[in-house]
Amino acid sequence: MIEDKNQSRTSISELGEFGLINHLTKNFKIQNKTTIKGVGDDAAVLEIKNKQVLVTTDLLIEGVHFDLSYMPLKHLGYKAVMVNLSDVYAMNGEASQITVSIAVSNRFPLEALEELYKGIHLACENYKVDLVGGDTTSSTTGLLINITAIGQVNKEDVVYRNTAKPNDLLVVTGDLGAAYLGLQVLEREKQVFEVNPNSQPDLSGYSYLIERQLKPESRKDIVKLLKDLEVKPTSMIDISDGLSSEILHICTQSKVGCDLYEEKLPLDPQVISTCEEFDLNSTTIALSGGEDYELLFTISQEDFPKIKGNPHLTVIGHITDESLGANLVTRAGQKIKLTAQGWNALS
Ligand code: ADP
Ligand code: MG
């Protein structure tokens, strides 16, 4: 529905593999001193001194992780980078390089790959990371994108998931649930379009939700903010699969429990109004929505004055003893066991 029917189509086979790689990567400028050699040899060469090196990778498959009928390729490229950088920031590190591997079918003209790489390029510029390599191959069906991000962190700054302690505060950045609702809005418009191809999508009133779905940002700013505030989280994770699933990872790996307060969950007004319109429970959406790419972390209570009142950070609960389990405390004051899907209303 967002597709431009008049675009020109250049077959990628006209360029050949090396021509294609060169064409797609020639505008990327190296921005990091740690990149000694980028695209163009058998391997990239990095020199990272006195730091621990972070490596993370994600595979995105058309039809599973994205739908090109409403995901413009430029946005997809940007988002694919964000997904990876978010994992580096969740270790309290700095991202410095990425590799991008793609498998494409001949359904994709050169112009489509150019769009994808425009998004990747913009992400590299905005987040100051270097594209240092990748692989290009053909696919018989859809598009596959694999991005690997490389980052660095001082030994004393790295933050794991398994180090939360009882009485620590549970803190989340930004707000929750918007990306999932953006997807619901786009899915609804797609269905309308399939019934009536002349319909124009009406996305007014959902701009924040759609932006969160199509152009998410990862929280590089939070790593800096925490450094500036002199707060080192006791544990941290990024929220890709939904808040409750990520809280459970922290609790399970740290061998702790938690109380999470329903009334504290940060929700954008568009999330609240769209939940009403779609007859969805906003707490369920905040807990299980996914794709928010915010950071969830724990801090020691002593650090609370340093983060208090910060508009990016919301204290949503605290860590308890493992024997108490992971719970949602509802607005009515009832304790309900958290599950990866949100909460278990039956327990
Ligand atoms: P090899 O045959 O050694 O695998 P390639 O011909 O696949 O080498 O790649 C040549 C160079 O281009 C390498 O530096 C590789 O990392 C880089 N490269 C290949 N595909 C991509 C891509 N899709 N995006 C960015 N760099 C790529
Ligand atoms: Mg190769």
Side-chain angles (χ1 to χ4, degrees):
M1 77 199 187
I2 298 170
E3 214 173 345
D4 175 3
K5 299 275 183 300
N6 299 322
Q7 56 194 251
S8 57
R9 294 175 65 91
T10 310
S11 165
I12 45 182
S13 56
E14 282 174 32
L15 282 145
E17 189 189 333
F18 299 115
L20 175 65
I21 296 168
N22 182 45
H23 183 80
L24 293 175
T25 60
K26 63 176 188 279
N27 293 328
F28 286 75
K29 300 260 171 323
I30 298 297
Q31 310 178 73
N32 287 283
K33 278 201 218 108
T34 52
T35 307
I36 308 298
K37 178 79 190 180
V39 171
D41 213 309
D42 295 311
V45 180
L46 312 180
E47 186 165 326
I48 299 173
K49 291 180 188 139
N50 309 320
K51 300 255 184 168
Q52 293 191 330
V53 177
L54 305 166
V55 180
T56 176
T57 193
D58 271 284
L59 179 60
L60 300 177
I61 297 179
E62 184 180 355
V64 179
H65 302 101
F66 57 89
D67 181 337
L68 290 176
S69 57
Y70 49 69
M71 184 67 155
L73 279 155
K74 184 176 174 186
H75 288 72
L76 178 63
Y78 194 89
K79 183 169 175 174
V81 179
M82 289 308 112
V83 170
N84 277 276
L85 300 189
S86 181
D87 284 320
V88 173
Y89 303 139
M91 301 302 291
N92 206 28
E94 281 170 42
S96 45
Q97 286 87 13
I98 57 167
T99 64
V100 176
S101 298
I102 51 174
V104 272
S105 69
N106 52 18
R107 166 162 83 84
F108 292 88
L110 176 65
E111 289 75 13
L113 296 183
E114 284 174 349
E115 281 300 301
L116 180 75
Y117 270 74
K118 268 186 209 162
I120 294 171
H121 193 211
L122 185 62
C124 285
E125 299 257 299
N126 289 355
Y127 286 78
K128 301 279 173 276
V129 298
D130 296 329
L131 174 70
V132 296
D135 202 16
T136 309
T137 186
S138 55
S139 137
T140 47
T141 52
L143 172 67
L144 276 79
I145 307 171
N146 168 237
I147 297 191
T148 298
I150 296 157
Q152 52 213 287
V153 61
N154 287 325
K155 196 174 177 180
E156 59 276 19
D157 293 334
V158 63
V159 177
Y160 297 101
R161 297 176 177 185
N162 65 354
T163 38
K165 297 277 173 300
N167 300 320
D168 285 351
L169 300 176
L170 200 51
V171 183
V172 73
T173 64
D175 53 63
L176 300 167
Y180 174 83
L181 287 177
L183 184 63
Q184 301 313 304
V185 170
L186 289 165
E187 292 273 0
R188 180 176 73 176
E189 292 309 316
K190 183 185 170 185
Q191 280 167 16
V192 171
F193 181 78
E194 277 166 0
V195 175
N196 175 10
N198 295 322
S199 69
Q200 284 296 318
D202 179 14
L203 302 176
S204 56
Y206 307 108
S207 54
Y208 180 65
L209 309 181
I210 287 167
E211 190 182 320
R212 295 281 286 176
Q213 171 58 224
L214 295 185
K215 194 175 179 284
E217 300 290 346
S218 55
R219 301 307 307 253
K220 176 181 179 164
D221 60 325
I222 298 296
V223 175
K224 180 174 186 302
L225 175 73
L226 291 172
K227 227 159 243 145
D228 291 347
L229 295 173
E230 296 179 7
V231 174
K232 184 187 171 191
T234 54
S235 70
M236 185 150 64
I237 191 167
D238 78 318
I239 308 179
S240 46
D241 295 337
L243 179 69
S244 54
S245 142
E246 313 299 359
I247 288 183
L248 289 173
H249 284 309
I250 287 190
C251 287
T252 310
Q253 294 201 20
S254 300
K255 298 190 171 54
V256 294
C258 75
D259 280 349
L260 167 69
Y261 291 86
E262 182 181 21
E263 64 184 3
K264 306 277 188 202
L265 295 174
L267 303 174
D268 184 85
Q270 268 184 23
V271 166
I272 296 170
S273 60
T274 308
C275 278
E276 279 169 14
E277 183 192 336
F278 282 63
D279 203 16
L280 294 167
N281 179 312
S282 58
T283 303
T284 310
I285 301 306
L287 290 178
S288 323
E291 292 201 286
D292 287 318
Y293 302 108
E294 295 294 341
L295 294 173
L296 171 72
F297 56 90
T298 53
I299 60 168
S300 125
Q301 294 224 6
E302 284 162 30
D303 283 334
F304 176 65
K306 300 183 194 164
I307 67 146
K308 195 178 164 202
N310 190 294
H312 297 287
L313 308 176
T314 309
V315 177
I316 54 172
H318 60 265
I319 299 297
T320 61
D321 196 76
E322 186 178 22
S323 61
L324 298 172
N327 304 292
L328 175 75
V329 183
T330 67
R331 286 196 187 85
Q334 196 189 1
K335 266 194 191 184
I336 310 179
K337 202 169 165 39
L338 269 185
T339 70
Q341 286 74 42
W343 73 83
N344 187 348
L346 299 174
S347 67

